[in-house]
Amino acid sequence: MYGFTPEAVRDDARQVFAVIDKDDIQRIADSIQRSAEQLTTWRVHYRINHPRGHQLWVEGIATPERLDDGSTLWHGYIRDITEEYATQQELEQYRASLERSNKELEHFAYAASHDLRQPLRMVTSYAQLLERQLGDDLDEDTSTMLHYMRDGAQRMDSMLLSLLDYSRVGRKGQPMQVMALKEAIDEALHFLTPAIQEAGAHFNIDDDWPQVYASPDEMTRLFQNLIGNALKYRMPGQGVVIGLHVALRRRCSHLEGDRQR
């Protein structure tokens, strides 16, 4: 693998070290010294620039033995892992590409669910306005067409929401971290803008929200569901006022001292 016979380097091993990639030399030297001092197994991956012009990735594994005279005897081997390394690199590139695709899909699903729902709301609203304007002049055929128009818009709205949920299938939420709870509320309100406008809802929201130890994704989804239910299950013909208040301020503050709670 190094391009030399044992006899050629028995008395002078400098040729061996000369073919090791210069960017790996210091890392190898440090790992050898550490293993020799601690008498732990040495294991490292590094590159060899073969005298014939090609490059190899090799794995070196050795166990140090301290001799009576204080010197160190190494028992080990090296092996060619060039193909394994190339395969691993391909897998990592594929994984990175897959993660980018998933993020793009989620971004598209979010944009579709949020931005495209507003025109659908307008279709539904104008269908209702047209129905009221025609009043008693509305014949059965026109009434049926308006019904199909509203029903189609509502079905597409449900499909857009399902698209967002589908993009999240199998995707782990963001890891637990200290986060500003108000940011999750703002994100939920942004997503629910079409429904808020349709209901003509007004909000009373406290400004002083605490920080909590939670997943930002899950907290946004929580407020999205809570506010969405408040908009959906409302008294018809009445103004909608939704209050979001910090009722658990003291309990939330305890989370900083016990993140497992």
Side-chain angles (χ1 to χ4, degrees), residues 27-212:
R27 180 168 56 87
I28 295 172
D30 293 342
S31 63
I32 291 175
Q33 181 178 357
R34 185 166 53 252
S35 296
E37 292 174 351
Q38 301 175 1
L39 292 181
T40 56
T41 298
W42 175 76
R43 181 171 184 171
V44 66
H45 296 173
Y46 56 96
R47 290 160 292 182
I48 291 175
N49 298 312
H50 198 278
R52 293 183 181 178
H54 59 276
Q55 188 180 72
L56 300 173
W57 273 95
V58 300
E59 177 184 54
I61 300 178
T63 301
E65 177 188 357
R66 188 82 73 229
L67 302 181
D68 294 337
D69 62 2
S71 61
T72 302
L73 178 65
W74 295 86
H75 306 272
Y77 62 90
I78 60 172
R79 68 184 185 95
D80 187 349
I81 61 168
T82 304
E83 292 187 5
E84 296 177 27
Y85 184 82
T87 301
Q88 182 63 30
Q89 290 294 100
E90 291 177 359
L91 288 175
E92 291 180 359
Q93 291 176 2
Y94 174 77
R95 188 180 298 112
S97 176
L98 185 60
E99 289 178 355
R100 287 194 299 269
S101 297
N102 287 340
K103 289 180 179 179
E104 290 173 0
L105 173 61
E106 184 181 356
H107 177 75
F108 167 77
Y110 179 88
S113 299
H114 180 268
D115 298 338
L116 295 183
R117 292 178 71 203
Q118 179 61 29
L120 290 175
R121 301 282 184 181
M122 293 179 62
V123 170
T124 302
S125 297
Y126 278 106
Q128 293 172 344
L129 289 174
L130 184 58
E131 187 175 18
R132 287 198 296 266
Q133 183 173 353
L134 291 175
D136 296 336
D137 296 331
L138 184 65
D139 57 45
E140 183 177 353
D141 289 341
T142 305
S143 177
T144 300
M145 287 187 288
L146 289 174
H147 169 74
Y148 284 144
M149 183 186 300
R150 292 195 305 271
D151 183 67
Q154 291 171 357
R155 286 176 179 270
M156 185 172 289
D157 187 69
S158 297
M159 291 171 65
L160 289 172
L161 288 176
S162 297
L163 176 63
L164 178 63
D165 291 337
Y166 177 77
S167 73
R168 289 170 170 168
V169 170
R171 184 182 66 86
K172 295 182 178 178
Q174 290 177 279
M176 301 278 282
Q177 57 186 277
V178 177
M179 57 163 290
L181 203 56
K182 185 61 165 56
E183 293 180 0
I185 296 174
D186 292 339
E187 181 70 13
L189 291 173
H190 177 70
F191 180 80
L192 292 168
T193 297
I196 294 171
Q197 292 176 347
E198 180 188 14
H202 298 278
F203 289 84
N204 293 325
I205 303 176
D206 288 351
D207 293 326
D208 186 19
W209 286 83
Q211 289 191 329
V212 296

